[in-house]
Amino acid sequence: MTTPVPEEQAAGAFTESAAEAVQTAVMAARLVMAIADAARRHQQRKHKGEEEELPAAKKAVAEVGGDVERLLPSDISTALMGEADWPQLAQQLLALREAGVDLEQVLPRIGEVAVNVRDQVAAKASEAATEQWVRVVREALPAGPVREGMLASPTWPEIAATMARLDEKGVNVRDVLATMYDTVQGVDQAVATTVGAPAPRMSESAKRSYGELSIGLALPVDLDLSDRGRVFGQLAISSQDNEKYARWVREAVPGYGREVDLMVASSQWPLVAARMAQMEKDGEPVAARVANLANDGSWREGPSGQVTSRLARSTVNALLGPGNELPGPGTRARVNTTAARLTSPSMGGPTKATAAKGGAAPAQPGVASHREAGPVASSGKTR
């Protein structure tokens, strides 16, 4: 039996989320009704010494069914009345009415509780489903304004739902995304030119944070490490993946949770997480690599104020493996073959179109892709 790919899982989640939300709402409605019925029974025992018998089921269904349909949201009332024990629930409602409870007041309140529960469950299911499509978009498109615009759009849930429906119909969504990329990028550039948008500028906080940690990672030129919400959107790292990566580090160095938390809260962490995401996409055993951090205690040595930077460096070294460690502070950066192999179009590397136009590979050794200078125009003379 094959494991479903992320988009298949997401498509199923979208399909099931609405039904699950309604069923959970019905559970909430049943809970409120059970509590109300318990209160009725308690009062009758307290004042009359015994509980009154429930009305006949057939009579109860006939008398309160219309009220339930009229006073509860249609999806919830339909699901509630479709339950096998609906006659017993109807008996409880009619018993409440006969005990003096105004169902015209109670049922709408039960409906409010059920709707609130339904919407919370639906929102959570939708978020879980869309996060799986974040990975698909990250793998299919290079980093840049097109990908960031998709993931940051207020219509992103709708976009993800549409991709899920296409996938259900047998459409290869990854191919669609890759095919449409050049067209959408042209639209983005045309609009930017029309409105006079300036070229993306690198934030000062991002400039200060660039260095050895980002060797081999092709990052957006306007990466803003000062804005946590935005940077994870730019890198297309979901909150679920971010929590997973942080957990792997904590498990690798038990007893140092405070230091790990400080690193995760730092500006270096998005770069470490981006490397994990890229390696995971490439099929590398990321969790096993991170576990090697347990064998490196060097990050614990030195000034306490620099422990975050040392831990980030050691984490990346664990990911890259023996022989591919980052250059030490104050030394010239060198080519890192493992890190260079991680450079991918999905993280903003050259697209197929660029390669087709004869774009040359960077020739500057040991300089991260985001720091490499562009080709110098030839004057037509040689020395």
Side-chain angles (χ1 to χ4, degrees), residues 218-238:
L219 303 170
V221 294
D222 59 341
L223 185 71
D224 187 359
L225 295 174
S226 66
D227 187 333
R228 299 286 287 192
R230 182 171 182 236
V231 71
F232 285 116
Q234 289 180 301
L235 298 174
I237 297 175
S238 68

Side-chain angles (χ1 to χ4, degrees), residues 187-262:
V187 171
D188 180 81
Q189 292 172 348
V191 173
T193 301
T194 301
V195 300
R201 297 180 63 86
M202 195 181 300
S203 69
E204 289 302 318
S205 65
K207 290 179 183 178
R208 289 194 297 271
S209 297
Y210 282 147
E212 290 83 359
L213 289 181
S214 53
I215 289 177
L217 292 178
L219 303 170
V221 294
D222 59 341
L223 185 71
D224 187 359
L225 295 174
S226 66
D227 187 333
R228 299 286 287 192
R230 182 171 182 236
V231 71
F232 285 116
Q234 289 180 301
L235 298 174
I237 297 175
S238 68
S239 59
Q240 182 179 6
D241 281 344
N242 185 50
E243 292 171 1
K244 176 178 65 177
Y245 300 150
R247 184 180 72 251
W248 286 346
V249 178
R250 291 190 186 95
E251 292 172 350
V253 287
Y256 293 94
R258 177 179 175 276
E259 287 78 3
V260 175
D261 288 344
L262 288 173

Side-chain angles (χ1 to χ4, degrees), residues 81-148:
M81 296 173 70
E83 295 284 306
D85 63 346
W86 161 238
Q88 288 78 22
L89 297 176
Q91 287 177 291
Q92 293 178 3
L93 288 174
L94 184 55
L96 287 172
R97 174 188 285 171
E98 292 179 346
V101 175
D102 186 357
L103 295 186
E104 296 283 337
Q105 297 292 327
V106 171
L107 284 175
R109 293 181 180 177
I110 293 177
E112 290 177 7
V113 172
V115 166
N116 184 44
V117 170
R118 179 196 65 192
D119 292 347
Q120 288 185 48
V121 173
K124 185 175 181 180
S126 176
E127 180 182 357
T130 56
E131 283 192 352
Q132 297 185 62
W133 283 102
V134 168
R135 181 180 296 277
V136 174
V137 171
R138 183 182 71 198
E139 294 176 351
L141 300 179
V146 174
R147 193 175 77 180
E148 182 182 352

Side-chain angles (χ1 to χ4, degrees), residues 7-308:
E7 49 265 48
E8 290 175 345
Q9 295 173 337
F14 275 113
T15 302
E16 298 172 3
S17 61
E20 179 185 357
V22 171
Q23 287 301 319
T24 307
V26 168
M27 290 174 58
R30 291 161 63 97
L31 173 63
V32 176
M33 291 165 58
I35 294 172
D37 184 64
R40 174 189 65 82
R41 293 172 182 271
H42 173 73
Q43 287 298 324
Q44 288 178 343
R45 287 195 303 271
K46 179 179 179 180
H47 297 287
K48 297 183 178 181
E50 61 180 3
E51 301 173 10
E52 295 183 2
E53 294 185 3
L54 292 173
K58 186 174 182 180
K59 174 185 176 183
V61 169
E63 292 195 17
V64 302
D67 292 334
V68 170
E69 291 180 333
R70 179 170 54 88
L71 299 172
L72 292 182
S74 59
D75 55 346
I76 295 173
S77 64
T78 299
L80 184 65
M81 296 173 70
E83 295 284 306
D85 63 346
W86 161 238
Q88 288 78 22
L89 297 176
Q91 287 177 291
Q92 293 178 3
L93 288 174
L94 184 55
L96 287 172
R97 174 188 285 171
E98 292 179 346
V101 175
D102 186 357
L103 295 186
E104 296 283 337
Q105 297 292 327
V106 171
L107 284 175
R109 293 181 180 177
I110 293 177
E112 290 177 7
V113 172
V115 166
N116 184 44
V117 170
R118 179 196 65 192
D119 292 347
Q120 288 185 48
V121 173
K124 185 175 181 180
S126 176
E127 180 182 357
T130 56
E131 283 192 352
Q132 297 185 62
W133 283 102
V134 168
R135 181 180 296 277
V136 174
V137 171
R138 183 182 71 198
E139 294 176 351
L141 300 179
V146 174
R147 193 175 77 180
E148 182 182 352
M150 281 183 64
L151 299 175
S153 171
T155 62
W156 164 243
E158 182 180 344
I159 293 173
T162 300
M163 290 192 292
R165 288 193 292 269
L166 288 172
D167 182 72
E168 287 179 332
K169 299 294 184 182
V171 176
N172 188 324
V173 177
R174 294 171 186 263
D175 283 351
V176 172
L177 291 173
T179 301
M180 67 85 196
Y181 174 73
D182 287 340
T183 299
V184 177
Q185 186 180 42
V187 171
D188 180 81
Q189 292 172 348
V191 173
T193 301
T194 301
V195 300
R201 297 180 63 86
M202 195 181 300
S203 69
E204 289 302 318
S205 65
K207 290 179 183 178
R208 289 194 297 271
S209 297
Y210 282 147
E212 290 83 359
L213 289 181
S214 53
I215 289 177
L217 292 178
L219 303 170
V221 294
D222 59 341
L223 185 71
D224 187 359
L225 295 174
S226 66
D227 187 333
R228 299 286 287 192
R230 182 171 182 236
V231 71
F232 285 116
Q234 289 180 301
L235 298 174
I237 297 175
S238 68
S239 59
Q240 182 179 6
D241 281 344
N242 185 50
E243 292 171 1
K244 176 178 65 177
Y245 300 150
R247 184 180 72 251
W248 286 346
V249 178
R250 291 190 186 95
E251 292 172 350
V253 287
Y256 293 94
R258 177 179 175 276
E259 287 78 3
V260 175
D261 288 344
L262 288 173
M263 179 184 68
V264 170
S266 73
S267 60
Q268 290 104 327
W269 172 248
L271 300 177
V272 178
R275 190 175 299 278
M276 291 188 189
Q278 182 60 41
M279 294 181 70
E280 192 172 31
K281 173 199 163 187
D282 291 342
E284 300 282 350
V286 179
R289 294 280 186 86
V290 175
N292 291 329
L293 183 60
N295 302 322
D296 179 7
S298 63
W299 62 271
R300 295 193 291 269
E301 302 171 2
S304 59
Q306 299 174 8
V307 66
T308 295

Side-chain angles (χ1 to χ4, degrees), residues 211-213 215 313 324-336 362-368 371-373:
E212 290 83 359
L213 289 181
I215 289 177
R313 174 186 294 273
N324 293 302
E325 293 85 357
L326 297 176
T331 63
R332 178 176 173 79
R334 57 182 173 80
V335 173
N336 185 306
Q364 292 175 278
V367 181
R371 301 283 289 188
E372 292 160 2

Side-chain angles (χ1 to χ4, degrees), residues 318-371:
L319 288 166
L320 299 180
N324 293 302
E325 293 85 357
L326 297 176
T331 63
R332 178 176 173 79
R334 57 182 173 80
V335 173
N336 185 306
T337 56
T338 302
R341 189 174 66 250
L342 297 178
T343 303
S344 163
S346 68
M347 288 300 289
T351 63
K352 293 180 180 178
T354 304
K357 294 178 182 178
Q364 292 175 278
V367 181
S369 55
H370 62 271
R371 301 283 289 188

